Amino acid sequence: MTLPPINTSQLVSRAYRGAILHALAKDELVYLADGVLLVDAQGMITACGPWLEWQEALAGVAVIRCLANQLIVPGFVDTHVHLPQMAVAGCQAPSLLEWLDTHIFAEEARFADADYARTISEWFLSELLANGTTLANVFLTSHPGASQIAFETAARLGNRVVMGQTLMDKQAPDSLLRPAAQLLQETESLCRQWHGANDGRIQYAWVPRFALTSSEELMSGLGELRRQYPEVYLHTHLSEQLGEIAAVKAQFPWASDYTEVYERFGLLGTRTVLAHGIHLCDGELTRLKALDASLAHCPSSNFFLKSGRFRLMEVLRRQLRLGLGSDVGAGPTLSLLTVMKDAQYMQADTLVPLATLFYLATLGGAEALHQGHRLGNFEPGKEADFVVLDFPATPVSHDKPSVQSPGTSEALLSRLVYQGHQQWISETYIRGQRVYQRAPIVQN
Ligand code: GUN
Ligand code: ZN
């Protein structure tokens, strides 16, 4: 499946009128039952406010009117996901390490074939857009050729991504391993080519898979690259399962905890994104906060692999940078709508405020990826990344029988979190350009 290239003639100044919801902070939402979002020719937000206040000023401007059952929200941010696991999402195994051995490494090895890499890259990156994900932090495979194909595909489809070649030099099948020196060279060369590409939509990350597949030579080389390129991300896994943590303890006996392994090699700091962090102790959380590292909470994956319960309320209380991740393929779906619901259900005894879940899926994710100053909500001056959602029609309505209005902001957000589904995504925009539109349903 190949999508056509983006038509830049779509870049005209537009006004989108409809119900609008966005987050200003973890506990502060703005809801406009009849609002308008103004986007300039460069795809930047010029204003967002009540229609009645803007109506007069907008005489002569093309206004796109959303339907009564639609809602405009900021694009979703997936802070941790694996492109090469798309085809094996939902294949279960008893533990993380067995799942990697049984399903994942064999699938990732298939990316040595350029045609396969191209097919899955196109599928994955277009599915991100179909799920309303306008920024994703993405693991690739260890093949530089397949990584190159993924970057080219993202540039062609218009995705906003942070991505990097996955680096492993031990404890995986030989076909996925390379000597540390070669990996460091390959990843630096990809970084030089792609960091900041497609007018800033594409960013690069150093991606050591996790401590168990990384030699000390690889990690110290990456520490050096981090010093050399402070604007580049580092993305890895941390403290996901007890079996993994025990293996890390055995492999790095000098480290007092898992966090110290990465810390020792200079891998932690601003722009480090750590997936999971389920079993972190208080001391590790304190150090991660002091270092300004970000966490990616992936509840759907944590349910699937039975990894444990993330200390969500404690991490929020400590104000670490935090976003949500689908973690496909340990997570079964790319939908951040489903991930929000799972984040709620994961907390057994606490009702997580709906506003917080919505913040984490949008602005919180953007802040975790250090892009909150330009994305994540509808403040003027930010880039217009947004999604038009359809609330499904019901045969009954509380007021007018023919209009399925989403209702009050609290009810609407609650339905979004508990019932929201990929099929609700009608259109997706990145920097004002439409990058996805759901095909109309043909009635026979
Ligand atoms: N830890 C190391 N590799 C992986 C992976 O691919 N997925 C998850 N969930 N955890 C990991
Ligand atoms: Zn992962």
Side-chain angles (χ1 to χ4, degrees):
M1 163 195 27
T2 309
L3 291 182
I6 285 168
N7 177 1
T8 45
S9 69
Q10 286 171 337
L11 280 181
V12 294
S13 182
R14 292 257 163 86
Y16 298 86
R17 180 182 172 192
I20 295 175
L21 181 70
H22 65 127
L24 296 182
K26 160 165 90 69
D27 44 14
E28 191 180 355
L29 299 188
V30 172
Y31 175 63
L32 301 162
D34 184 10
V36 66
L37 178 67
L38 300 178
V39 180
D40 73 12
Q42 282 70 48
M44 311 300 282
I45 294 167
T46 49
C48 179
W51 167 252
L52 277 180
E53 280 179 21
W54 281 93
Q55 186 174 12
E56 239 175 81
L58 291 175
V61 173
V63 176
I64 295 157
R65 186 146 193 194
C66 293
L67 302 173
N69 68 323
Q70 290 185 318
L71 175 70
I72 300 172
V73 298
F76 298 113
V77 179
D78 188 340
T79 58
H80 177 66
V81 62
H82 298 253
L83 177 151
Q85 297 178 10
M86 191 67 183
V88 289
C91 295
Q92 77 164 32
S95 71
L96 165 65
L97 299 181
E98 288 164 285
W99 174 76
L100 289 172
D101 284 338
T102 312
H103 301 295
I104 298 305
F105 289 147
E107 176 63 16
E108 295 192 4
R110 299 182 72 184
F111 283 68
D113 174 350
D115 287 339
Y116 189 72
R118 189 166 296 108
T119 302
I120 303 292
S121 295
E122 285 182 359
W123 178 36
F124 172 87
L125 290 160
S126 51
E127 280 297 305
L128 281 182
L129 303 175
N131 278 278
T133 298
T134 53
L135 170 60
N137 188 28
V138 184
F139 262 62
L140 300 174
T141 64
S142 52
H143 312 91
S147 302
Q148 179 70 14
I149 287 168
F151 279 107
E152 286 167 4
T153 309
R156 182 162 53 80
L157 299 185
N159 295 86
R160 196 190 287 282
V161 283
V162 177
M163 300 206 290
Q165 178 191 13
T166 293
L167 309 171
M168 293 192 277
D169 67 343
K170 61 192 285 194
Q171 297 204 123
D174 285 347
S175 60
L176 291 173
L177 300 180
R178 280 176 182 58
Q182 185 182 339
L183 286 173
L184 292 166
Q185 224 172 43
E186 288 170 354
T187 197
E188 184 178 5
S189 148
L190 282 163
C191 174
R192 282 173 170 273
Q193 185 179 355
W194 289 105
H195 188 67
N198 203 16
D199 211 6
R201 288 174 184 83
I202 294 176
Q203 312 267 311
Y204 199 78
W206 316 118
V207 185
R209 180 171 217 119
F210 66 157
L212 295 179
T213 48
S214 306
S215 69
E216 299 199 358
E217 182 190 351
L218 177 61
M219 288 191 281
S220 56
L222 290 172
E224 182 49 43
L225 283 174
R226 257 179 56 75
R227 280 185 286 280
Q228 228 178 306
Y229 299 87
E231 74 288 0
V232 173
Y233 295 81
L234 187 131
H235 183 191
T236 190
H237 297 93
L238 172 68
S239 204
E240 181 176 359
Q241 285 208 347
L242 297 176
E244 170 206 15
I245 294 165
V248 169
K249 222 178 182 59
Q251 193 167 309
F252 302 93
W254 47 261
S256 60
D257 52 43
Y258 197 157
T259 299
E260 194 184 339
V261 175
Y262 296 144
E263 217 172 353
R264 170 77 63 98
F265 296 104
L267 304 189
L268 302 183
T270 297
R271 289 178 184 255
T272 296
V273 184
L274 301 158
H276 306 299
I278 295 172
H279 304 285
L280 297 171
C281 66
D282 285 353
E284 288 175 288
L285 286 178
T286 302
R287 275 145 55 214
L288 291 173
K289 168 71 184 166
L291 287 160
D292 191 33
S294 304
L295 288 175
H297 172 35
C298 310
S300 313
S301 158
N302 303 159
F303 276 131
F304 181 77
L305 289 176
K306 301 196 184 299
S307 302
R309 183 174 299 140
F310 182 69
R311 300 167 69 194
L312 178 60
M313 301 318 281
E314 179 62 17
V315 170
L316 287 167
R317 191 187 66 73
R318 289 168 174 257
Q319 299 185 344
L320 274 85
R321 292 181 185 269
L322 176 67
L324 296 178
S326 69
D327 196 22
V328 158
T333 163
L334 288 174
S335 175
L336 264 289
L337 294 169
T338 305
V339 174
M340 276 195 284
K341 177 181 67 185
D342 284 343
Q344 177 67 278
Y345 288 162
M346 177 59 79
Q347 300 305 310
D349 308 318
T350 313
L351 193 62
V352 184
L354 294 168
T356 301
L357 295 169
F358 184 76
Y359 158 82
L360 290 174
T362 56
L363 181 62
E367 289 172 347
L369 297 180
H370 292 265
Q371 301 202 35
H373 59 289
R374 62 176 182 138
L375 306 169
N377 64 14
F378 297 144
E379 283 173 339
K382 289 195 174 181
E383 303 185 24
D385 288 11
F386 64 97
V387 174
V388 181
L389 290 157
D390 280 343
F391 279 68
T394 57
V396 287
S397 170
H398 299 299
D399 39 26
K400 302 178 211 122
S402 60
V403 177
Q404 283 77 40
S405 161
T408 66
S409 64
E410 184 71 13
L412 174 147
L413 181 54
S414 195
R415 285 187 66 199
L416 188 66
V417 168
Y418 291 104
Q419 298 187 301
H421 192 275
Q422 168 182 0
Q423 281 155 8
W424 293 24
I425 309 293
S426 174
E427 294 175 30
T428 304
Y429 292 79
I430 291 180
R431 202 181 286 165
Q433 291 181 327
R434 190 167 60 203
V435 287
Y436 170 76
Q437 180 174 33
R438 194 182 50 220
I441 296 161
V442 179
Q443 308 274 5
N444 287 321

